[in-house]
Amino acid sequence: MAVDVLEHPLAKQLVAELRDKLTPPEHYRRLCHKLTTLLVLEATTALGTTDRVVETPLESARCEVLIEGLAVVPILRAGLGMLDSVTELFDDVKVGYIGLERAHDTAIAHRYYCKLPDLAGRLVLCLDPMLATGGSASQAISFMKVSGAERVVMVCVIAAPEGVARLNADHPDVRIVTAALDRELDARKYILPGLGDFGDRLFGTF
């Protein structure tokens, strides 16, 4: 499945500010919240709805209301910066967590924490700001499917072509929604032009 890149002008502005090395952590967190809101709205366009009659002050109106629940799983730790945007938008949401740490010498991630609710019957959002090699995201989505996930959307701020290719190969049923598709990975598996280490910039742990 192809990657969906946000084309909204505000999303482009927010990505530019996130890339800027002079953006301080406190502003970085606000930018992340705003951009994630845009990403999540795009990622949830296929949520199921049904008709319901609502009484307005003037007359009856046939409206559409949500009938499908949502689940969200941030990949620790950087994915935590995207979580609040989802829980503020949606009431019926289950939250799980997956902790994956990438070894700097091999770029291979290992799991150190996993706590997932039953994901069956819900649209599941996997949150990770940077889709680089795609290894962490692929592992995480595999865990989600074991917990019952049938429909998963990968939501990231920036994606590399290598990460998109990995997810398309491992999980072709998973839609990818991102704000930017960057050029490539460098020798250390960092995205270029990228924005550095998202978690460090988000939490000020340089």
Side-chain angles (χ1 to χ4, degrees):
M1 180 176 291
V3 59
D4 293 332
V5 182
L6 285 187
E7 295 297 335
H8 196 288
L10 177 58
K12 296 179 183 298
Q13 167 68 29
L14 295 171
V15 169
E17 293 184 66
L18 287 168
R19 291 192 194 277
D20 190 339
K21 65 180 182 180
L22 298 179
T23 301
E26 61 273 16
H27 187 42
Y28 212 84
R29 289 188 284 271
R30 291 193 294 271
L31 294 169
C32 177
H33 186 279
K34 291 179 180 180
L35 183 55
T36 301
T37 297
L38 297 177
L39 288 165
V40 169
L41 289 174
E42 174 60 30
T44 53
T45 53
L47 272 175
T49 62
T50 189
D51 287 344
R52 192 180 81 187
V53 175
V54 173
E55 296 298 328
T56 80
L58 300 176
E59 62 181 22
S60 299
R62 186 171 297 278
C63 303
E64 286 189 66
V65 295
L66 292 172
I67 57 169
E68 185 176 11
L70 191 68
V72 58
V73 182
I75 298 178
L76 305 179
R77 67 181 166 141
L80 286 175
M82 305 174 74
L83 177 60
D84 286 349
S85 298
V86 184
T87 56
E88 288 178 10
L89 285 170
F90 295 93
D91 294 328
D92 183 10
V93 56
K94 290 186 176 181
V95 181
Y97 300 91
I98 295 177
L100 294 169
E101 186 172 22
R102 190 174 76 168
H104 290 291
D105 53 343
T106 64
I108 297 174
H110 72 275
R111 185 181 72 175
Y112 63 87
Y113 184 78
C114 185
K115 183 70 171 179
L116 296 175
D118 181 4
L119 301 174
R122 291 175 176 265
L123 176 64
V124 183
L125 305 183
C126 178
L127 305 181
D128 195 359
M130 309 296 282
L131 181 61
T133 66
S136 295
S138 181
Q139 285 187 54
I141 291 168
S142 294
F143 298 143
M144 294 174 204
K145 289 182 175 179
V146 170
S147 290
E150 299 172 349
R151 297 171 59 214
V152 180
V153 180
M154 181 73 215
V155 181
C156 53
V157 172
I158 291 178
E162 294 90 336
V164 172
R166 172 70 181 270
L167 273 198
N168 285 338
D170 293 353
H171 301 283
D173 56 320
V174 171
R175 180 186 176 203
I176 303 170
V177 177
T178 186
L181 181 61
D182 276 10
R183 186 176 73 250
E184 61 185 353
L185 300 178
D186 68 8
R188 298 183 302 158
K189 307 302 181 183
Y190 277 83
I191 300 175
L192 296 176
L195 44 72
D197 188 298
F198 198 98
D200 283 346
R201 299 196 62 189
L202 188 71
F203 298 115
T205 52
F206 301 106

